[in-house]
């Protein structure tokens, strides 16, 4: 692919503990996510998939290797640089939504923009536009406990994409939802990637990984397998 | 798959010609099970013999219009009202292959599993792409059936891999 990757992991290693007790959560894991791509990461518990996502999101640091988000080195960026990148370039979607209970939907979505210095009025307009994109603009002034799980996750996705952030990291985003609602969330993630973002989806549901362009399998911190890498678009069902 | 009942179901809302039945069937089932026209006409003549459909007027091309009879409606209601039997499992080539792989000396069973999982995931991805492309409910549900089926296979392969690793750990002790 000729485009520059939005996310680039280059031989990333993460070790928890030292000496005999050292556990390799990730061993020299490399992969790239380009604009328009959704990548699913699968693997059993303890395979390193959540560690991979926290490192890609700048919430944890690798012991070795490099992590680049839109060309910016997350390790070199330092604490405050990473925090800024999380506000401007990286969107996170969690299994349990993680909305702030005391804020309305629109306030939850506009928060990252306001923290980054966007004036309140402009932040509110951007938040409402993002809520509109995920089909819940009419819930802008509701609080999280006044919404269903599916609605809360839509708000969380709006928060993850607001301000044109181009990297979406989703950790089991459909885990708490029924199958039809879960599929709607995947359609939204997919649509956002089709519109130019790059997405990384950690999931243990093969059905959900099916929405991705590529599926990366982790075992004991190693990439052991990849599906769909060479898939051409337009391939038929019977292919 | 019961072609007989499929034709009865398609004739329920309105009478149709044989060639219409074939295209209606394929449209509804996402063209996954191509039906040959000979099969449609043989089934129709058997249904007519049994009094479940009746042939009506013939058009300029000599094709006959078929409609459902009262007995056909009863037969259809009974089909919708009963569960599809889970008879003895079909010969599961994959399960047999993995079982034989486990007993083979010097074979990397994990590699066999990974190869299959990759292929099944690729199929699942293509069903999902087809789902994204359709707005038709019936078509989407048929694709969902394929998606869930592929998912069950991947889960089973994951399970095989985990059991294998466990057995290897136990063996190494």
């Amino acid at each position: 692919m000729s485009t520059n990757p939005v996310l680039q992991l280059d031989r990333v290693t993460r070790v928890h503990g030292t000496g005999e007790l050292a556990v390799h959560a990730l061993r020299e894991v490399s992969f790239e996510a380009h604009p328009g791509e959704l990548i699913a990461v699968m693997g059993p518990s303890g395979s390193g998939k959540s560690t991979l996502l926290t490192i890609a999101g700048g919430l944890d640091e690798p012991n070795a290797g490099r992590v680049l988000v839109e060309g910016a080195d997350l390790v070199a960026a330092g604490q405050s640089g990473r925090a800024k990148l999380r506000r401007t370039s990286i969107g996170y979607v969690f299994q349990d939504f993680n909305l702030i209970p005391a804020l309305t939907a629109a306030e939850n979505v506009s928060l990252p923009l306001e923290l980054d210095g966007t004036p309140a009025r402009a932040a509110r307009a951007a938040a409402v536009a993002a809520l509109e994109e995920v089909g819940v603009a009419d819930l802008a002034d509701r609080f999280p406990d006044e919404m269903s799980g599916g609605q809360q996750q839509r708000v969380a996705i709006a928060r993850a994409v607001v301000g044109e952030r181009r990297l979406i990291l989703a950790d089991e985003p459909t885990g708490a939802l029924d199958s039809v609602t879960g599929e709607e969330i995947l359609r939204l993630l997919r649509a956002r990637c089709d519109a130019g973002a790059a997405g990384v989806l950690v999931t243990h549901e093969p059905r959900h990984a099916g929405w991705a362009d590529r599926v990366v399998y982790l075992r004991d911190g190693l990439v052991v397998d990849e599906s769909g890498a060479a898939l051409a678009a337009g391939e038929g069902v019977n292919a | 798959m019961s072609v007989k009942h499929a034709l009865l179901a398609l004739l329920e809302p309105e009478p149709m010609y044989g060639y219409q039945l074939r295209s209606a069937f394929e449209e509804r089932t996402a063209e996954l099970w191509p039906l040959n026209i000979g099969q449609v006409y043989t089934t129709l003549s058997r249904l007519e013999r049994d009094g479940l459909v009746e042939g009506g007027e013939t058009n300029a091309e000599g094709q006959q219009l078929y409609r459902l009879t009262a007995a056909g409606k009863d037969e259809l209601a009974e089909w919708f009202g009963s569960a599809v039997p889970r008879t003895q499992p079909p010969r599961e080539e994959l399960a047999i292959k993995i079982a034989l792989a486990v007993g083979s000396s010097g074979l990397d069973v994990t590699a066999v599993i990974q190869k299959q999982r990759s292929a099944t995931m690729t199929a699942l991805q293509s069903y999902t792409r087809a789902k994204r492309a359709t707005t038709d409910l019936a078509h989407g549900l048929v694709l969902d059936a394929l998606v869930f089926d592929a998912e069950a296979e991947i889960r089973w392969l994951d399970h095989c891999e985990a059991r294998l690793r466990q057995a290897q750990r136990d063996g190494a002790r």
Side-chain angles (χ1 to χ4, degrees):
Chain A
M1 226 175 277
S2 56
T3 52
N4 292 322
V6 179
L7 171 68
Q8 199 174 358
L9 265 65
D10 182 19
R11 285 166 294 157
V12 166
T13 295
R14 179 70 175 103
V15 186
H16 298 298
T18 52
E20 281 196 12
L21 295 172
V23 177
H24 279 77
L26 294 175
R27 301 165 194 256
E28 303 214 332
V29 169
S30 297
F31 80 83
E32 294 180 351
H34 291 260
E37 259 191 328
L38 179 61
I39 296 176
V41 180
M42 299 195 75
S45 310
S47 60
K49 51 191 199 300
S50 292
T51 304
L52 187 151
L53 213 60
T54 50
I55 284 180
L59 299 168
D60 188 11
E61 280 186 50
N63 297 83
R66 292 198 314 158
V67 186
L68 303 176
V69 174
E70 301 205 85
D73 188 323
L74 284 190
V75 177
Q79 279 287 2
S80 66
R82 279 197 294 279
K84 173 146 183 76
L85 275 166
R86 282 200 301 274
R87 289 193 302 271
T88 56
S89 299
I90 307 170
Y92 228 106
V93 183
F94 303 88
Q95 177 171 348
D96 45 7
F97 325 134
N98 282 15
L99 298 176
I100 298 173
L103 299 181
T104 64
E107 289 165 350
N108 264 285
V109 176
S110 63
L111 187 63
L113 296 179
E114 290 191 56
L115 289 175
D116 204 46
T118 307
R121 189 184 289 259
R124 160 93 191 179
V128 172
L131 287 169
E132 182 131 31
E133 191 183 320
V134 297
V136 289
D138 51 330
L139 305 178
D141 296 316
R142 294 233 195 130
F143 290 95
D145 66 358
E146 297 168 338
M147 292 184 266
S148 69
Q151 290 167 338
Q152 288 186 58
Q153 196 61 303
R154 282 169 184 263
V155 174
I157 289 185
R159 179 182 58 185
V161 302
V162 75
E164 302 305 312
R165 280 176 285 175
R166 297 217 307 153
L167 176 60
I168 307 173
L169 305 172
D171 194 355
E172 303 276 9
T174 57
L177 305 172
D178 65 72
S179 66
V180 172
T181 312
E183 189 173 309
E184 286 168 3
I185 295 299
L186 288 164
R187 275 186 197 274
L188 290 175
L189 276 181
R190 183 71 252 185
R192 190 66 193 191
C193 292
D194 290 344
V200 181
L201 165 72
V202 163
T203 181
H204 65 273
E205 307 259 13
R207 200 170 73 249
H208 296 161
W211 288 80
D213 300 294
R214 281 191 288 142
V215 185
V216 173
Y217 296 90
L218 286 179
R219 294 286 181 278
D220 301 328
L222 276 172
V223 175
V224 294
D225 202 6
E226 234 179 80
S227 301
L231 272 183
E235 193 179 313
V237 170
N238 298 313
Chain B
M1 211 270 306
S2 172
V3 175
K4 167 183 160 182
H5 291 107
L7 298 188
L8 292 177
L10 291 169
L11 287 173
E12 193 275 324
E14 54 174 347
M16 275 194 232
Y17 296 103
Y19 71 93
Q20 284 183 307
L21 281 167
R22 181 172 77 160
S23 48
F25 176 82
E26 293 186 350
E27 195 178 311
R28 199 78 71 80
T29 55
E31 294 177 37
L32 292 170
W33 297 281
L35 205 53
N36 97 42
I37 193 73
Q39 207 179 353
V40 173
Y41 285 115
T42 345
T43 310
L44 281 171
S45 58
R46 241 181 290 137
L47 289 170
E48 192 173 17
R49 179 199 67 199
D50 297 339
L52 300 175
V53 303
E54 57 188 12
E57 56 271 34
T58 308
N59 67 9
E61 283 90 54
Q63 287 152 336
Q64 208 176 12
L65 193 66
Y66 287 89
R67 63 171 48 87
L68 209 55
T69 62
K73 279 187 183 157
D74 290 347
E75 174 72 27
L76 182 62
E78 198 178 317
W79 185 59
F80 277 130
S82 54
V84 175
R86 261 196 106 78
T87 45
Q88 70 271 37
R91 211 177 69 191
E92 247 283 11
E93 182 174 346
L94 179 58
I96 294 166
K97 188 177 185 180
I98 301 292
L100 293 174
V102 167
S104 301
S105 55
L107 181 71
D108 182 355
V109 186
T110 304
V112 174
I113 291 172
Q114 279 172 3
K115 178 132 201 147
Q116 182 66 43
R117 187 171 48 216
S118 210
T120 308
M121 180 53 84
T122 301
L124 202 165
Q125 288 173 301
S126 80
Y127 302 148
T128 308
R129 274 199 301 280
K131 256 174 69 156
R132 285 162 57 195
T134 187
T135 50
D136 182 77
L137 178 61
H139 190 152
L141 290 177
V142 170
L143 290 166
D144 277 337
L146 299 176
V147 164
F148 277 93
D149 194 52
E151 175 171 71
E153 188 171 297
I154 292 170
R155 283 183 187 284
W156 177 72
L157 289 165
D158 284 343
H159 176 76
C160 290
E161 192 182 18
R163 287 288 303 271
L164 204 65
R165 281 159 59 109
Q166 190 184 38
Q168 282 161 352
R169 273 201 305 272
D170 290 350
R173 258 178 219 160

